Amino acid sequence: MSAYPTLVLLHGALQTGASLAPLAAALAPSAQLVSLNLPGHGGSPVPDLLRLQDMVDAVIGDLDRQGIEQAQIFGYSLGGYVGLLLAQQHPSRVKGVYAHATKLAWTPEAAAREVRGLDPDRLLEKAPAVAASLEQLHSPQHWRLLTQRVADLLIVLGDRPAIDATVLSNLQMPVQLSVGDHDRMVSLEETVAAYRVLPQGQLLVIPGSAHPLEPSVQRRLAPELLRFLEWTGAAG
């Protein structure tokens, strides 16, 4: 058994485990890392319906296959949402959760705003480089199909959020939330509101950072994650 803490890295929607490579490289000397692709991502078959529950189950299944009884979770955006749900459903398996740029105030209006940005034709016209990247990341599956499934998931989240103040207030393990002060998707206000109901919460605001998890932001997060592991008593 490794003497290092085990840290699961969960990517955001329309990304893959490789999207967190700069963070993984910075953390590798100090943690046993588990990186995986969430269902429908990274070339895996795109289901008819993307469900948060299937994502939680996929993470637990991966931990079971590797014989990992308990781990820390880092999740970016959707990955943070999955990590918090995993902590709610399997508290004995989760030592702590670090969620960065994770939206925790979903409404139909918020979902509609995000879905507008996921229109494949709009992406091809306005951001062809993004569309090309999605095609490469998720080949041989069609990126248009995955984008539509993610949009459908966001609509469900807007109508029926899986995480609310009650869920957060019942999480007994350490949870850290962080957000960039220029994030247009996740507001500082909603992140502070979520932090305030956490029994063991910490909050970090990253200056000059927007929602996309650029390599420079990942490297900025690495020492914060190490401090999080120390705070939770997981660091070796």
Side-chain angles (χ1 to χ4, degrees), residues 57-160:
D57 293 345
V59 177
I60 286 295
D62 196 75
L63 294 179
D64 287 344
R65 283 189 292 274
Q66 297 193 48
I68 298 171
E69 295 183 3
Q70 192 177 53
Q72 297 280 47
I73 308 291
F74 169 81
Y76 161 63
S77 197
L78 177 63
Y81 209 91
V82 173
L84 291 168
L85 282 177
L86 195 151
Q88 177 205 22
Q89 296 179 19
H90 304 275
S92 66
R93 307 294 298 273
V94 178
K95 195 170 181 66
V97 180
Y98 190 123
H100 175 68
T102 294
K103 188 165 188 62
L104 295 168
W106 284 102
T107 64
E109 294 75 21
R113 284 195 301 271
E114 298 308 317
V115 166
R116 281 195 293 271
L118 293 177
D119 178 76
D121 292 332
R122 180 183 175 88
L123 282 173
L124 281 170
E125 178 185 356
K126 302 293 186 181
V130 173
S133 175
L134 291 175
E135 182 176 14
Q136 181 178 24
L137 283 174
H138 305 294
S139 177
Q141 307 301 322
H142 205 297
W143 69 273
R144 282 177 171 266
L145 179 60
L146 176 59
T147 301
Q148 182 58 57
R149 295 293 184 264
V150 169
D152 294 341
L153 172 61
L154 297 186
I155 291 171
V156 171
L157 263 179
D159 290 336
R160 300 186 299 277

